[in-house]
Amino acid sequence: DPVRGAFLIQRDGCGGCHHIPGVVGAAGKAAPSLDHLASQPYISGNLPNSPENVMRWIQSPHSILPNTKMPELGIAHAEARDITTYLWSLP
């Protein structure tokens, strides 16, 4: 559910670090902008970009890149799916 995904992005404060179109207050500059995420070849510079990998990254970034600044937020699988669906819907 992309609408729920946008809500979760706002609830979890993702916009404190990321610029995310369509999410109120999501204008962060400390991490990459997430507009056009679906067209990017990699996540975090080394993980091939796919919806499945975005979900993995959202749920457990330190299992993929131990020294990443991305926090472990305790996001459930269904929440990661909705967030990914929202991000994938961005033009």
Side-chain angles (χ1 to χ4, degrees):
D1 178 358
V3 173
R4 183 167 182 260
F7 165 79
L8 294 168
I9 287 169
Q10 189 170 23
R11 180 198 75 184
D12 293 336
C14 303
C17 293
H18 296 280
H19 171 262
I20 308 164
V23 177
V24 175
K29 296 182 180 184
S33 174
L34 298 181
D35 60 338
H36 311 295
L37 177 66
S39 67
Q40 300 302 313
Y42 295 99
I43 302 161
S44 186
N46 63 353
L47 183 65
N49 190 6
S50 69
E52 294 79 17
N53 281 342
V54 170
M55 289 174 57
R56 285 181 49 221
W57 176 256
I58 290 169
Q59 286 187 272
S60 186
H62 292 203
S63 72
I64 296 165
L65 189 62
N67 294 325
T68 184
K69 300 292 187 211
M70 172 102 167
E72 299 276 343
L73 296 172
I75 294 175
H77 181 78
E79 292 173 330
R81 183 186 60 234
D82 289 341
I83 291 168
T84 300
T85 300
Y86 176 77
L87 294 174
W88 230 252
S89 75
L90 297 174

